[in-house]
Amino acid sequence: MANGWLHYRQSWLGAYYQNFIIGLLLALSLLPGAIAFSFIAGVSPTTSMISTSMMMIYISFFGARTLMVSAPSSGVSLVVVFITAAYSMEVLAATIIVMGIFQILLGYCNVAKAITWIPLPVVIGFMNALSYLLFVSQLKHILGHNIWTYGYAVLSFLIIWLIPRVTKRIPAPLVSIVILSMIAFLTHAKLQYVHDLAQIHVKIPVWRLPDLSGDTISFFQIAFWGAMLAIVATIQTSLTAQMMDQVTGTKSDKNKESRGQGVSNLLIGMFGGLAGSALVGQSKLNYKLGATTRLSTLITGVMMGLFVFVLEPIVGQIPMVVLATILIVVALNAFDRNTKQLIVQRRYFDFTLMALTFCLIVISKNLALGVLVGTACYYLFKGVGRS
């Protein structure tokens, strides 16, 4: 117990200025995704930004994997959209609270061991389906519009491609948003903007239980969606934690991380926010920038909260096509490169299992279903093969 407390205390100490600056840069890198994922999930951009702030602050204290970044993600958002499309924000809040409870329970049920049971082909199919669904969801903001939209899409892709070749200290998506939003504002470009699709206003979240009196939804439906969110978020978080373990050369407690994520999402649900999970790209960025303590993620959360109030008038002026190009790049980067190896190495069973998982998720739009069925098929085949 004493050793655990000393280790936790040590994870806050040292290189204060360095971690403060990295926390600021990380907040800037999270800003484009926080805004873009809000439209996938069907919530206000300010709700997503405030939720990102809360998630980063909570996970700085409750998380087990130091330096790992958590916020509203593609996987969580692709599930949340089914809830917001059919029910009220009160139902979403209740679902996220249940999600948090499930994650806490999973943490006590040794979820770390359960995750290792998921075969690699199923994980690849899960990541590829996630990438595909995210990619397809953004095409509506680019295709079928005017020549201005196509021009801005090309410019945004070029900026995102060029900036990392000049400097890696400044997030390329942020540069794309700033430059193209300014040009669009000055030239009055005929584009679809954030304010055309959502009202931008800051509302301070209040701690309270969701009021479900006006909704016709059963507890079992809320439990179903909560369980699905918990499964998707836990898979994404555990895979990201494994990646961070490899990158940093240190081990982390996946069960404790699940409990920390659960507590964070439960608190966010109590405030009526948007749930989150670990993010691969931003977690890598935090480490590569040189972060060493929990202070970097705490500062990220605090700065994101300040951005909500400072940037409120500006967010509405961002062209939707720019946000779409950013998420398309995120989707392409999320595509699992191990897919090619399955073909090159002629691992036909693994490729078939990966394809089955991919197709199930894409057709059903149910990320958890694909993972569960794919895993069941794997062990059923292995069992038959042994008999």
Side-chain angles (χ1 to χ4, degrees):
M1 184 71 178
N3 288 337
W5 165 248
L6 287 173
H7 183 267
Y8 179 80
R9 182 175 178 274
Q10 192 64 32
S11 67
W12 285 97
L13 303 177
Y16 299 109
Y17 177 75
Q18 175 181 328
N19 283 284
F20 179 88
I21 296 300
I22 291 170
L24 174 60
L25 292 173
L26 195 60
L28 292 171
S29 74
L30 281 172
L31 188 59
I35 298 170
F37 285 136
S38 69
F39 287 98
I40 296 178
V43 302
S44 164
T46 51
T47 297
S48 183
M49 290 169 68
I50 292 172
S51 299
T52 300
S53 172
M54 289 192 291
M55 188 70 179
M56 289 300 295
I57 291 172
Y58 295 151
I59 210 65
S60 296
F61 291 99
F62 303 129
R65 173 67 267 180
T66 309
L67 308 184
M68 191 164 70
V69 175
S70 297
S73 62
S74 54
V76 170
S77 298
L78 286 167
V79 177
V80 166
V81 67
F82 291 102
I83 303 170
T84 55
Y87 305 105
S88 68
M89 290 299 292
E90 298 293 323
V91 171
L92 176 61
T95 304
I96 291 173
I97 290 172
V98 173
M99 168 198 183
I101 294 171
F102 272 121
Q103 285 184 293
I104 294 170
L105 293 175
L106 286 171
Y108 283 109
C109 294
N110 200 7
V111 69
K113 186 175 182 180
I115 290 296
T116 62
W117 294 344
I118 301 176
L120 179 61
V122 174
V123 173
I124 296 173
F126 171 83
M127 294 303 296
N128 289 347
L130 193 63
S131 173
Y132 173 82
L133 290 173
L134 182 58
F135 180 90
V136 170
S137 71
Q138 296 309 298
L139 295 180
K140 63 184 178 183
H141 297 302
I142 299 177
L143 303 180
H145 294 274
N146 56 30
I147 192 66
W148 286 90
T149 303
Y150 298 134
Y152 272 74
V154 172
L155 286 173
S156 184
F157 282 127
L158 282 173
I159 291 171
I160 294 171
W161 180 75
L162 286 171
I163 291 299
R165 285 156 177 76
V166 178
T167 177
K168 295 186 182 296
R169 303 291 292 185
I170 305 174
L174 183 67
V175 176
S176 177
I177 284 179
V178 172
I179 292 176
L180 295 182
S181 294
M182 288 179 61
I183 294 174
F185 178 76
L186 294 172
T187 60
H188 303 288
K190 296 179 180 179
L191 301 168
Q192 187 179 54
Y193 295 89
V194 168
H195 64 69
D196 293 325
L197 299 181
Q199 293 183 344
I200 309 299
H201 61 277
V202 176
K203 183 179 180 182
I204 305 298
V206 178
W207 172 285
R208 64 181 179 84
L209 288 173
D211 180 10
L212 302 178
S213 59
D215 293 277
T216 55
I217 185 170
S218 68
F219 170 77
F220 295 104
Q221 287 174 297
I222 293 175
F224 169 78
W225 288 111
M228 187 179 298
L229 281 169
I231 291 170
V232 171
T234 301
I235 291 172
Q236 280 195 289
T237 298
S238 297
L239 293 176
T240 305
Q242 288 178 5
M243 178 274 296
M244 287 298 290
D245 288 354
Q246 294 171 358
V247 169
T248 62
T250 58
K251 290 185 178 181
S252 61
D253 188 336
K254 311 299 186 301
N255 295 317
K256 187 176 179 181
E257 182 63 42
S258 180
R259 295 194 293 269
Q261 294 271 336
V263 171
S264 301
N265 280 319
L266 190 153
L267 292 172
I268 288 172
M270 294 292 288
F271 280 107
L274 176 61
S277 64
L279 303 175
V280 175
Q282 283 79 1
S283 296
K284 273 187 179 179
L285 176 64
N286 191 31
Y287 174 73
K288 288 182 178 180
L289 287 175
T292 58
T293 71
R294 294 174 183 267
L295 181 63
S296 66
T297 49
L298 176 62
I299 294 300
T300 299
V302 172
M303 295 307 298
M304 182 62 74
L306 293 175
F307 289 164
V308 174
F309 298 95
V310 175
L311 301 179
E312 179 195 0
I314 301 172
V315 171
Q317 300 299 323
I318 300 174
M320 284 301 302
V321 63
V322 177
L323 294 179
T325 57
I326 290 169
L327 287 184
I328 284 175
V329 171
V330 170
L332 294 175
N333 288 333
F335 185 79
D336 199 310
R337 300 322 190 246
N338 289 319
T339 305
K340 182 181 177 182
Q341 295 301 318
L342 299 182
I343 302 173
V344 173
Q345 297 174 7
R346 298 182 180 181
R347 294 161 57 184
Y348 298 124
F349 169 71
D350 288 348
F351 181 82
T352 302
L353 188 62
M354 182 275 294
L356 172 65
T357 304
F358 176 88
C359 292
L360 276 173
I361 292 174
V362 169
I363 294 171
S364 68
K365 303 294 190 299
N366 189 324
L367 297 165
L369 177 66
V371 172
L372 294 174
V373 173
T375 302
C377 289
Y378 173 84
Y379 287 106
L380 181 62
F381 179 84
K382 290 295 182 183
V384 171
R386 290 194 190 97
S387 61

